[in-house]
Amino acid sequence: MSPAFLDDFAVFAAAFLAGLAIKIMDDHLDEHRDSKFGQPNLAAMYGQGITAYGFCALLAAAAIHLPTAVSVFAGAYIVGMGLSSSSTYLFGLSGRAESLLMLVFSIYCAGLALTGVSILIMAAIQLWDNWVDNGEHLLGLVLAGASIGGALLIDGGQSSMVLFAYALFFALERWWLGSIS
């Protein structure tokens, strides 16, 4: 196998595993809200212990390709916390302040380009998810497309692998949800 293929596969695998960690973390944080609205939730289905599997997935992602694991996880954290309320969290900082710290950390560990790509893709995924799950405005879908376009312009290879990992993750999640309902 060529070194380029192996590097692309490492990016894909790290993005996929980081995505799994993000999903588990999100379900852990949203467990009560999801149960209130009847949404499927891994933490509710498998218990709080599933969080350990999220840590293992993130650890494996970091071992496979550290810049991708850091930037993808940080991108999700930045989008999730940066767009949330200005509530104060564990360290006494607002969600926006924590997002700023995570941005600096990601730029330091993964570089500006990969951090930018990940933030744009995570924003697109959030907008897409809002459109699919909640039927939000078509403008969100247009902004998601624009975000993906921006990510592809910054780094087409990295963006393609992360988007491919998300597409596979999304398809597997929908299949799994269909199989349990």
mmCIF file of all heavy atoms in Angstrom, residues 14 16-28 42 47-62 69 73:
data_model
loop_
_atom_site.group_PDB
_atom_site.id
_atom_site.type_symbol
_atom_site.label_atom_id
_atom_site.label_comp_id
_atom_site.label_asym_id
_atom_site.label_seq_id
_atom_site.Cartn_x
_atom_site.Cartn_y
_atom_site.Cartn_z
ATOM 1 N N ALA A 14 -8.974 7.995 12.456
ATOM 2 C CA ALA A 14 -8.942 8.903 13.603
ATOM 3 C C ALA A 14 -10.208 9.760 13.659
ATOM 4 O O ALA A 14 -10.774 9.972 14.737
ATOM 5 C CB ALA A 14 -7.697 9.786 13.547
ATOM 6 N N PHE A 16 -13.156 8.968 12.402
ATOM 7 C CA PHE A 16 -14.276 8.094 12.743
ATOM 8 C C PHE A 16 -14.311 7.816 14.245
ATOM 9 O O PHE A 16 -15.355 7.923 14.886
ATOM 10 C CB PHE A 16 -14.182 6.780 11.952
ATOM 11 C CG PHE A 16 -15.372 5.894 12.132
ATOM 12 C CD1 PHE A 16 -16.494 6.056 11.337
ATOM 13 C CD2 PHE A 16 -15.385 4.904 13.104
ATOM 14 C CE1 PHE A 16 -17.610 5.253 11.506
ATOM 15 C CE2 PHE A 16 -16.492 4.090 13.288
ATOM 16 C CZ PHE A 16 -17.613 4.265 12.481
ATOM 17 N N LEU A 17 -13.163 7.463 14.810
ATOM 18 C CA LEU A 17 -13.111 7.164 16.245
ATOM 19 C C LEU A 17 -13.356 8.414 17.096
ATOM 20 O O LEU A 17 -14.028 8.337 18.131
ATOM 21 C CB LEU A 17 -11.771 6.522 16.595
ATOM 22 C CG LEU A 17 -11.607 5.088 16.077
ATOM 23 C CD1 LEU A 17 -10.155 4.642 16.192
ATOM 24 C CD2 LEU A 17 -12.544 4.134 16.793
ATOM 25 N N ALA A 18 -12.839 9.555 16.667
ATOM 26 C CA ALA A 18 -13.126 10.807 17.383
ATOM 27 C C ALA A 18 -14.619 11.111 17.301
ATOM 28 O O ALA A 18 -15.215 11.574 18.285
ATOM 29 C CB ALA A 18 -12.297 11.952 16.815
ATOM 30 N N GLY A 19 -15.231 10.835 16.147
ATOM 31 C CA GLY A 19 -16.673 11.022 16.005
ATOM 32 C C GLY A 19 -17.460 10.138 16.957
ATOM 33 O O GLY A 19 -18.469 10.573 17.530
ATOM 34 N N LEU A 20 -17.001 8.921 17.147
ATOM 35 C CA LEU A 20 -17.649 8.023 18.107
ATOM 36 C C LEU A 20 -17.531 8.596 19.520
ATOM 37 O O LEU A 20 -18.507 8.618 20.280
ATOM 38 C CB LEU A 20 -17.022 6.628 18.033
ATOM 39 C CG LEU A 20 -17.572 5.586 19.002
ATOM 40 C CD1 LEU A 20 -19.063 5.360 18.779
ATOM 41 C CD2 LEU A 20 -16.799 4.278 18.837
ATOM 42 N N ALA A 21 -16.357 9.089 19.866
ATOM 43 C CA ALA A 21 -16.168 9.709 21.186
ATOM 44 C C ALA A 21 -17.072 10.923 21.355
ATOM 45 O O ALA A 21 -17.663 11.123 22.427
ATOM 46 C CB ALA A 21 -14.702 10.100 21.377
ATOM 47 N N ILE A 22 -17.203 11.725 20.311
ATOM 48 C CA ILE A 22 -18.061 12.910 20.352
ATOM 49 C C ILE A 22 -19.517 12.494 20.553
ATOM 50 O O ILE A 22 -20.244 13.084 21.360
ATOM 51 C CB ILE A 22 -17.897 13.749 19.070
ATOM 52 C CG1 ILE A 22 -16.496 14.364 19.030
ATOM 53 C CG2 ILE A 22 -18.980 14.821 18.973
ATOM 54 C CD1 ILE A 22 -16.083 14.865 17.651
ATOM 55 N N LYS A 23 -19.965 11.467 19.825
ATOM 56 C CA LYS A 23 -21.341 10.984 19.947
ATOM 57 C C LYS A 23 -21.617 10.498 21.369
ATOM 58 O O LYS A 23 -22.652 10.819 21.959
ATOM 59 C CB LYS A 23 -21.582 9.853 18.940
ATOM 60 C CG LYS A 23 -22.883 9.113 19.102
ATOM 61 C CD LYS A 23 -24.071 9.968 18.777
ATOM 62 C CE LYS A 23 -25.347 9.120 18.811
ATOM 63 N NZ LYS A 23 -26.517 9.924 19.057
ATOM 64 N N ILE A 24 -20.687 9.741 21.935
ATOM 65 C CA ILE A 24 -20.879 9.234 23.295
ATOM 66 C C ILE A 24 -20.903 10.385 24.293
ATOM 67 O O ILE A 24 -21.756 10.419 25.186
ATOM 68 C CB ILE A 24 -19.799 8.190 23.633
ATOM 69 C CG1 ILE A 24 -20.043 6.912 22.814
ATOM 70 C CG2 ILE A 24 -19.780 7.888 25.131
ATOM 71 C CD1 ILE A 24 -18.927 5.897 22.885
ATOM 72 N N MET A 25 -19.993 11.353 24.132
ATOM 73 C CA MET A 25 -19.974 12.502 25.030
ATOM 74 C C MET A 25 -21.282 13.297 24.912
ATOM 75 O O MET A 25 -21.882 13.685 25.915
ATOM 76 C CB MET A 25 -18.792 13.425 24.726
ATOM 77 C CG MET A 25 -18.748 14.653 25.634
ATOM 78 S SD MET A 25 -17.411 15.800 25.263
ATOM 79 C CE MET A 25 -17.953 16.494 23.713
ATOM 80 N N ASP A 26 -21.738 13.507 23.690
ATOM 81 C CA ASP A 26 -22.967 14.265 23.455
ATOM 82 C C ASP A 26 -24.160 13.545 24.076
ATOM 83 O O ASP A 26 -24.997 14.173 24.735
ATOM 84 C CB ASP A 26 -23.173 14.466 21.955
ATOM 85 C CG ASP A 26 -24.354 15.353 21.661
ATOM 86 O OD1 ASP A 26 -24.366 16.512 22.127
ATOM 87 O OD2 ASP A 26 -25.284 14.891 20.957
ATOM 88 N N ASP A 27 -24.232 12.224 23.886
ATOM 89 C CA ASP A 27 -25.338 11.472 24.471
ATOM 90 C C ASP A 27 -25.267 11.483 25.994
ATOM 91 O O ASP A 27 -26.298 11.529 26.664
ATOM 92 C CB ASP A 27 -25.344 10.039 23.946
ATOM 93 C CG ASP A 27 -25.996 9.926 22.576
ATOM 94 O OD1 ASP A 27 -26.338 10.970 21.976
ATOM 95 O OD2 ASP A 27 -26.150 8.787 22.094
ATOM 96 N N HIS A 28 -24.074 11.426 26.540
ATOM 97 C CA HIS A 28 -23.924 11.498 28.000
ATOM 98 C C HIS A 28 -24.457 12.840 28.517
ATOM 99 O O HIS A 28 -25.218 12.883 29.488
ATOM 100 C CB HIS A 28 -22.457 11.307 28.394
ATOM 101 C CG HIS A 28 -22.198 11.476 29.845
ATOM 102 N ND1 HIS A 28 -22.454 10.491 30.764
ATOM 103 C CD2 HIS A 28 -21.723 12.536 30.544
ATOM 104 C CE1 HIS A 28 -22.144 10.932 31.966
ATOM 105 N NE2 HIS A 28 -21.698 12.158 31.866
ATOM 106 N N LEU A 42 -27.283 6.681 23.567
ATOM 107 C CA LEU A 42 -26.391 5.592 23.952
ATOM 108 C C LEU A 42 -26.218 5.490 25.458
ATOM 109 O O LEU A 42 -26.182 4.387 26.008
ATOM 110 C CB LEU A 42 -25.026 5.761 23.283
ATOM 111 C CG LEU A 42 -24.991 5.602 21.767
ATOM 112 C CD1 LEU A 42 -23.611 5.991 21.226
ATOM 113 C CD2 LEU A 42 -25.351 4.186 21.369
ATOM 114 N N GLY A 47 -26.062 2.683 29.700
ATOM 115 C CA GLY A 47 -25.611 3.134 31.007
ATOM 116 C C GLY A 47 -24.440 4.102 30.914
ATOM 117 O O GLY A 47 -23.819 4.270 29.864
ATOM 118 N N GLN A 48 -24.162 4.725 32.035
ATOM 119 C CA GLN A 48 -23.115 5.745 32.088
ATOM 120 C C GLN A 48 -21.727 5.172 31.792
ATOM 121 O O GLN A 48 -20.821 5.887 31.412
ATOM 122 C CB GLN A 48 -23.122 6.428 33.457
ATOM 123 C CG GLN A 48 -24.396 7.198 33.742
ATOM 124 C CD GLN A 48 -24.595 8.359 32.800
ATOM 125 O OE1 GLN A 48 -23.660 9.080 32.497
ATOM 126 N NE2 GLN A 48 -25.814 8.547 32.331
ATOM 127 N N GLY A 49 -21.559 3.860 31.966
ATOM 128 C CA GLY A 49 -20.278 3.227 31.709
ATOM 129 C C GLY A 49 -19.816 3.346 30.259
ATOM 130 O O GLY A 49 -18.632 3.173 29.962
ATOM 131 N N ILE A 50 -20.745 3.656 29.367
ATOM 132 C CA ILE A 50 -20.364 3.800 27.959
ATOM 133 C C ILE A 50 -19.377 4.951 27.763
ATOM 134 O O ILE A 50 -18.618 4.975 26.797
ATOM 135 C CB ILE A 50 -21.599 3.960 27.047
ATOM 136 C CG1 ILE A 50 -21.186 3.705 25.592
ATOM 137 C CG2 ILE A 50 -22.253 5.322 27.222
ATOM 138 C CD1 ILE A 50 -22.315 3.480 24.647
ATOM 139 N N THR A 51 -19.358 5.871 28.708
ATOM 140 C CA THR A 51 -18.426 6.995 28.630
ATOM 141 C C THR A 51 -16.978 6.502 28.567
ATOM 142 O O THR A 51 -16.163 7.084 27.863
ATOM 143 C CB THR A 51 -18.634 7.938 29.831
ATOM 144 O OG1 THR A 51 -20.013 8.307 29.883
ATOM 145 C CG2 THR A 51 -17.793 9.190 29.700
ATOM 146 N N ALA A 52 -16.668 5.421 29.259
ATOM 147 C CA ALA A 52 -15.317 4.854 29.202
ATOM 148 C C ALA A 52 -14.967 4.437 27.781
ATOM 149 O O ALA A 52 -13.819 4.588 27.349
ATOM 150 C CB ALA A 52 -15.198 3.674 30.153
ATOM 151 N N TYR A 53 -15.946 3.927 27.039
ATOM 152 C CA TYR A 53 -15.699 3.548 25.646
ATOM 153 C C TYR A 53 -15.432 4.780 24.784
ATOM 154 O O TYR A 53 -14.655 4.717 23.835
ATOM 155 C CB TYR A 53 -16.869 2.742 25.088
ATOM 156 C CG TYR A 53 -16.971 1.373 25.719
ATOM 157 C CD1 TYR A 53 -17.850 1.137 26.762
ATOM 158 C CD2 TYR A 53 -16.170 0.334 25.260
ATOM 159 C CE1 TYR A 53 -17.935 -0.110 27.349
ATOM 160 C CE2 TYR A 53 -16.246 -0.926 25.839
ATOM 161 C CZ TYR A 53 -17.133 -1.138 26.884
ATOM 162 O OH TYR A 53 -17.203 -2.372 27.463
ATOM 163 N N GLY A 54 -16.070 5.882 25.128
ATOM 164 C CA GLY A 54 -15.787 7.134 24.424
ATOM 165 C C GLY A 54 -14.350 7.573 24.633
ATOM 166 O O GLY A 54 -13.670 7.986 23.689
ATOM 167 N N PHE A 55 -13.885 7.463 25.879
ATOM 168 C CA PHE A 55 -12.479 7.791 26.156
ATOM 169 C C PHE A 55 -11.540 6.868 25.386
ATOM 170 O O PHE A 55 -10.535 7.314 24.838
ATOM 171 C CB PHE A 55 -12.179 7.702 27.659
ATOM 172 C CG PHE A 55 -12.790 8.795 28.475
ATOM 173 C CD1 PHE A 55 -13.518 8.488 29.612
ATOM 174 C CD2 PHE A 55 -12.632 10.122 28.124
ATOM 175 C CE1 PHE A 55 -14.094 9.503 30.377
ATOM 176 C CE2 PHE A 55 -13.188 11.137 28.890
ATOM 177 C CZ PHE A 55 -13.928 10.828 30.021
ATOM 178 N N CYS A 56 -11.870 5.584 25.351
ATOM 179 C CA CYS A 56 -11.036 4.625 24.610
ATOM 180 C C CYS A 56 -11.024 4.944 23.120
ATOM 181 O O CYS A 56 -9.970 4.858 22.472
ATOM 182 C CB CYS A 56 -11.532 3.200 24.843
ATOM 183 S SG CYS A 56 -11.236 2.600 26.511
ATOM 184 N N ALA A 57 -12.170 5.316 22.568
ATOM 185 C CA ALA A 57 -12.230 5.678 21.149
ATOM 186 C C ALA A 57 -11.376 6.913 20.873
ATOM 187 O O ALA A 57 -10.636 6.957 19.872
ATOM 188 C CB ALA A 57 -13.687 5.926 20.727
ATOM 189 N N LEU A 58 -11.433 7.904 21.758
ATOM 190 C CA LEU A 58 -10.628 9.107 21.563
ATOM 191 C C LEU A 58 -9.140 8.800 21.718
ATOM 192 O O LEU A 58 -8.308 9.306 20.960
ATOM 193 C CB LEU A 58 -11.056 10.210 22.537
ATOM 194 C CG LEU A 58 -10.420 11.576 22.319
ATOM 195 C CD1 LEU A 58 -10.703 12.114 20.915
ATOM 196 C CD2 LEU A 58 -10.904 12.562 23.364
ATOM 197 N N LEU A 59 -8.802 7.951 22.662
ATOM 198 C CA LEU A 59 -7.417 7.547 22.849
ATOM 199 C C LEU A 59 -6.898 6.808 21.614
ATOM 200 O O LEU A 59 -5.778 7.072 21.145
ATOM 201 C CB LEU A 59 -7.292 6.675 24.094
ATOM 202 C CG LEU A 59 -5.889 6.217 24.478
ATOM 203 C CD1 LEU A 59 -4.998 7.422 24.776
ATOM 204 C CD2 LEU A 59 -5.965 5.303 25.683
ATOM 205 N N ALA A 60 -7.699 5.908 21.067
ATOM 206 C CA ALA A 60 -7.299 5.192 19.850
ATOM 207 C C ALA A 60 -7.152 6.158 18.678
ATOM 208 O O ALA A 60 -6.208 6.054 17.889
ATOM 209 C CB ALA A 60 -8.320 4.101 19.525
ATOM 210 N N ALA A 61 -8.073 7.102 18.570
ATOM 211 C CA ALA A 61 -7.984 8.108 17.502
ATOM 212 C C ALA A 61 -6.682 8.891 17.616
ATOM 213 O O ALA A 61 -5.995 9.119 16.611
ATOM 214 C CB ALA A 61 -9.187 9.048 17.560
ATOM 215 N N ALA A 62 -6.333 9.288 18.825
ATOM 216 C CA ALA A 62 -5.094 10.047 19.041
ATOM 217 C C ALA A 62 -3.870 9.210 18.710
ATOM 218 O O ALA A 62 -2.892 9.715 18.159
ATOM 219 C CB ALA A 62 -5.028 10.544 20.482
ATOM 220 N N ALA A 69 -7.351 13.698 15.474
ATOM 221 C CA ALA A 69 -8.132 13.450 16.688
ATOM 222 C C ALA A 69 -8.328 14.729 17.491
ATOM 223 O O ALA A 69 -9.444 15.045 17.917
ATOM 224 C CB ALA A 69 -7.444 12.379 17.547
ATOM 225 N N PHE A 73 -12.090 16.577 17.628
ATOM 226 C CA PHE A 73 -12.722 16.671 18.944
ATOM 227 C C PHE A 73 -12.825 18.137 19.378
ATOM 228 O O PHE A 73 -13.865 18.576 19.867
ATOM 229 C CB PHE A 73 -11.953 15.847 19.981
ATOM 230 C CG PHE A 73 -12.699 15.691 21.258
ATOM 231 C CD1 PHE A 73 -13.633 14.675 21.404
ATOM 232 C CD2 PHE A 73 -12.484 16.549 22.321
ATOM 233 C CE1 PHE A 73 -14.345 14.522 22.590
ATOM 234 C CE2 PHE A 73 -13.189 16.409 23.502
ATOM 235 C CZ PHE A 73 -14.121 15.393 23.643
#
